[in-house]
Amino acid sequence: MALELENLERRYLDENGFKINEKPINGYEIAFRYIPINSVKEIIVYKIENEKEVQISQFSSLDNPLDIAKSLEGYPQGVTQEVLQLLK
């Protein structure tokens, strides 16, 4: 499941998992979109370190929320909460 860069919305979180308005030097980016054809939401989570993005996870609304939470263990709680909220 590869997300195309077009039609993506983005949310940014600081390194502690709190929402912020601009892309941080260190923190997280959550890119997401809704696909109306099949009613699926897709999300990619990036960790940003020194302004460089590294993909850490990719999910869709078809994934089990418990599995999503387990795969995001070790990251700030705000990241997990934001992903789960966006997939609702």
Side-chain angles (χ1 to χ4, degrees), residues 59 64-74 80 83-84:
F59 306 105
N64 181 326
L66 187 56
D67 292 337
I68 293 170
K70 285 181 183 178
S71 71
L72 290 172
E73 256 180 50
T80 304
V83 168
L84 292 174

Side-chain angles (χ1 to χ4, degrees), residues 5-61:
L5 293 178
E6 57 191 62
N7 301 325
L8 283 180
E9 293 185 52
R10 299 175 189 280
R11 299 261 171 95
Y12 299 107
L13 295 95
D14 66 15
E15 54 197 321
N16 296 314
F18 294 102
K19 282 186 193 180
I20 54 177
N21 293 326
E22 296 179 1
K23 185 175 181 177
I25 294 171
N26 294 304
Y28 299 90
E29 176 182 342
I30 300 173
F32 61 98
R33 71 177 177 166
Y34 174 73
I35 304 169
I37 294 170
N38 56 6
S39 300
V40 172
K41 296 176 187 174
E42 295 179 325
I43 290 183
I44 297 179
V45 182
Y46 298 94
K47 183 170 179 130
I48 304 170
E49 293 179 332
N50 296 317
E51 298 183 353
K52 294 184 179 164
E53 298 174 0
V54 177
Q55 182 177 330
I56 57 173
S57 301
Q58 187 168 342
F59 306 105
S60 82
S61 54

